Amino acid sequence: VLEQEKMIGVVAGVGPLAGLDLLGKITEQTIAECDQEHLAVVSISQPGEIVDRTAYLLDDSLPNPAVAIAGQLRRLAQMGAQVAGIPCNTAHAPAIFTAVQHHLSTYGGHSVHLLHMIEEVGLFLRQQFGQIKRVGVLSTTGAYQAGIYPQILQPMGFAVVVPSWAEQESLIHPAIYDAEFGIKACGRKSEQARENLLVGVALLKDAGADAVVLGCTEIPLVIPEPEVDGLAVVDPTLILARALIREAAPHKLRPYSEVVG
Amino acid sequence: VLEQEKMIGVVAGVGPLAGLDLLGKITEQTIAECDQEHLAVVSISQPGEIVDRTAYLLDDSLPNPAVAIAGQLRRLAQMGAQVAGIPCNTAHAPAIFTAVQHHLSTYGGHSVHLLHMIEEVGLFLRQQFGQIKRVGVLSTTGAYQAGIYPQILQPMGFAVVVPSWAEQESLIHPAIYDAEFGIKACGRKSEQARENLLVGVALLKDAGADAVVLGCTEIPLVIPEPEVDGLAVVDPTLILARALIREAAPHKLRPYSEVVG
């Protein structure tokens, strides 16, 4: 059986906490009774060479982070990774992700199957919730302005609902970036960030969302539960972890019912 | 400055949770104001090919796990790792660790500076507590029977205090391995495991220990605090994380006073 399992590769430096979160979720979502039954995973966290993704989206005269990301994916492939993921929503903006795919395809040598985290979220929503139409998305202001989720989910048949600009600026952005209480400054301990984001979830519910995607890898740190007031909240890092296991060793993927239950 | 920093390599599959813990502690113990300032870290978690360390110590007709560990270190070196660590106490038994070093030295190609987690614990105890003489150690029964800590710490000038065999069997071993409440089964949520191990710390204190080493990577999951009843408890995974940062980028190592404070 071991021979049939694929090795997973993780671009773990975008950012380092998201990388750790993905590695942890791969372990948690794997059915394993002892150390030896866990999947083979290689990761590179080399954040210094990957320029800020949002900065590039807002100013494309800057270097495209796709070059460094593709270089790291290539090294993961050389290490044996056959399927890989990038736990960063912004890196899945078409302007970056398409360039990553292009750089990968022009390399010789080992190839690696790179999953698309946000498309996986769309596939998950379709599979898990069937009829769902309106999907709410909370994200950084960079991802909001770049319209990453609408660009990817709308062609998959979803209507995407986001906070108003005023709500984005007054509630969501500070929850992630505020120097006093933002998640980047405080990590999972920020009660204020959680409060702001729960208001954000409620606003999207009022706007008709049938589920809400926590579209920034920091947000699930303060909203770890799979449902808020009966509304499903979806963690893309968890979905990516599960998709990687599905590709690497489908028989070792924990049932999703265990995650929700 | 970036050019002078070394890349860290982690053998992350012995076991997978210890690997994640080490990766998390490297991130926590690094002074970084943004993603890009975090250190470069590569990790391999390929637990399937590394046979159980304790099993080998108890029966040396089994294959030595050193061969697979050295192979993974070599691949980390090929990826660019210049300093590396193995977050597994048992892998530091002389019968395994010396063989790892031997295999590494006979390879051609890239070299990597492999730190010795338990020697780092000894260096830390000496540096942090100066006069300390008697060091208590809690560990798995395998490490206990193999006498790993005494073999390494006694030549460094410490007297090593361990639980009696009866205490090891009735309190410490079940805290790690019990199918109902052991840490391997329950993770950090096991109150019973924590209780058992706190009794173990108290017994070692009564036996004259000036500090206690949590000499199994699972134990700090339930005793995360740096002191118990005024007695220092030392987490070797944390010490290894700090030693790796010290070697890779000393100016980015958080002061230990912040860990204790």
Side-chain angles (χ1 to χ4, degrees):
Chain A
V1 178
L2 254 184
E3 280 63 43
Q4 299 167 338
E5 292 180 4
K6 291 179 181 162
M7 184 183 275
I8 294 171
V10 171
V11 177
V14 287
L17 291 179
L20 286 168
D21 193 34
L22 178 60
L23 293 169
K25 283 169 177 160
I26 292 169
T27 306
E28 278 168 27
Q29 298 293 314
T30 301
I31 298 169
E33 303 235 315
C34 65
D35 287 359
Q36 282 74 16
E37 289 178 14
H38 277 278
L39 300 178
V41 180
V42 286
S43 77
I44 301 183
S45 179
Q46 197 162 5
E49 66 175 37
I50 303 181
V51 295
D52 190 74
R53 283 70 68 196
T54 300
Y56 170 72
L57 291 183
L58 300 178
D59 174 6
D60 68 5
S61 72
L62 292 172
N64 193 330
V67 180
I69 291 172
Q72 295 185 9
L73 282 162
R74 188 190 188 189
R75 283 187 286 154
L76 291 169
Q78 285 167 341
M79 295 273 286
Q82 292 154 285
V83 57
I86 309 168
C88 169
N89 286 278
T90 316
H92 292 81
I96 299 174
F97 196 83
T98 308
V100 170
Q101 289 177 310
H102 172 74
H103 283 288
L104 279 183
S105 69
T106 58
Y107 286 138
H110 303 278
S111 71
V112 58
H113 177 200
L114 176 61
L115 302 187
H116 190 297
M117 181 167 68
I118 300 178
E119 287 179 7
E120 291 293 341
V121 168
L123 292 171
F124 169 81
L125 288 167
R126 190 57 73 215
Q127 191 177 10
Q128 190 67 15
F129 302 110
Q131 310 285 332
I132 197 173
K133 269 274 156 61
R134 293 169 77 81
V135 177
V137 177
L138 296 178
S139 68
T140 61
T141 295
Y144 181 103
Q145 290 181 302
I148 300 172
Y149 268 86
Q151 280 180 75
I152 295 160
L153 291 190
Q154 280 167 2
M156 295 177 85
F158 300 100
V160 175
V161 187
V162 297
S164 71
W165 177 246
E167 291 158 356
Q168 177 68 28
E169 284 285 85
S170 64
L171 281 171
I172 311 307
H173 184 79
I176 301 165
Y177 283 101
D178 190 90
E180 293 293 314
F181 65 82
I183 304 169
K184 283 186 186 283
C186 307
R188 62 184 74 243
K189 289 172 303 230
S190 174
E191 276 302 317
Q192 179 67 56
R194 177 171 162 86
E195 255 179 58
N196 281 19
L197 293 163
L198 288 177
V199 172
V201 171
L203 288 167
L204 295 177
K205 190 180 184 185
D206 291 346
D210 303 310
V212 170
V213 178
L214 307 180
C216 161
T217 53
E218 262 95 4
I219 302 177
L221 301 178
V222 297
I223 306 184
E225 61 264 45
E227 280 194 2
V228 170
D229 282 338
L231 189 73
V233 290
V234 177
D235 169 3
T237 309
L238 176 69
I239 301 308
L240 178 58
R242 293 179 56 82
L244 288 165
I245 299 167
R246 178 196 71 212
E247 295 298 317
H251 57 291
K252 288 193 175 174
L253 179 60
R254 266 189 208 290
Y256 189 73
S257 56
E258 288 183 15
V259 177
V260 184
Chain B
V1 178
L2 254 183
E3 279 65 41
Q4 298 166 339
E5 292 180 5
K6 291 179 181 160
M7 184 184 272
I8 293 171
V10 171
V11 177
V14 285
L17 291 179
L20 286 168
D21 194 33
L22 178 60
L23 292 169
K25 282 168 177 160
I26 292 169
T27 305
E28 278 168 28
Q29 298 292 314
T30 301
I31 298 169
E33 302 235 316
C34 64
D35 286 358
Q36 282 75 16
E37 290 178 14
H38 277 279
L39 300 178
V41 181
V42 287
S43 77
I44 300 183
S45 179
Q46 197 162 6
E49 66 175 35
I50 303 181
V51 296
D52 190 73
R53 283 71 66 196
T54 299
Y56 170 72
L57 291 183
L58 300 177
D59 176 4
D60 68 6
S61 74
L62 291 172
N64 192 331
V67 180
I69 290 173
Q72 295 185 8
L73 282 162
R74 187 189 189 189
R75 283 187 285 152
L76 291 170
Q78 286 167 340
M79 295 274 285
Q82 294 153 283
V83 57
I86 310 168
C88 170
N89 286 278
T90 316
H92 291 82
I96 299 174
F97 196 83
T98 308
V100 171
Q101 289 178 309
H102 172 75
H103 284 287
L104 278 183
S105 69
T106 58
Y107 286 140
H110 302 278
S111 71
V112 59
H113 176 199
L114 176 62
L115 301 188
H116 189 297
M117 182 167 69
I118 299 177
E119 288 179 7
E120 291 292 341
V121 168
L123 293 171
F124 168 81
L125 289 167
R126 191 56 74 215
Q127 191 177 13
Q128 189 68 15
F129 302 109
Q131 309 287 332
I132 196 173
K133 270 274 155 62
R134 292 170 78 81
V135 177
V137 176
L138 296 178
S139 68
T140 61
T141 294
Y144 181 103
Q145 289 180 303
I148 300 173
Y149 268 86
Q151 281 181 74
I152 296 160
L153 291 189
Q154 281 167 0
M156 296 178 86
F158 300 99
V160 174
V161 187
V162 298
S164 71
W165 178 246
E167 291 157 356
Q168 177 68 28
E169 285 285 85
S170 64
L171 282 172
I172 311 305
H173 184 80
I176 301 165
Y177 284 100
D178 190 90
E180 294 292 314
F181 64 82
I183 305 170
K184 283 186 187 283
C186 307
R188 61 184 74 242
K189 289 171 303 228
S190 173
E191 275 302 316
Q192 179 66 57
R194 177 172 162 84
E195 254 177 60
N196 281 19
L197 293 163
L198 288 177
V199 172
V201 171
L203 288 167
L204 295 177
K205 190 180 183 184
D206 290 347
D210 303 309
V212 170
V213 177
L214 307 179
C216 161
T217 53
E218 262 95 5
I219 301 177
L221 300 178
V222 297
I223 306 184
E225 60 265 43
E227 281 193 3
V228 170
D229 282 337
L231 189 72
V233 291
V234 177
D235 168 3
T237 309
L238 176 69
I239 302 306
L240 178 58
R242 293 180 55 83
L244 289 165
I245 299 167
R246 178 196 71 213
E247 294 299 317
H251 57 292
K252 287 192 175 173
L253 179 60
R254 266 188 209 291
Y256 189 72
S257 56
E258 288 183 16
V259 177
V260 185

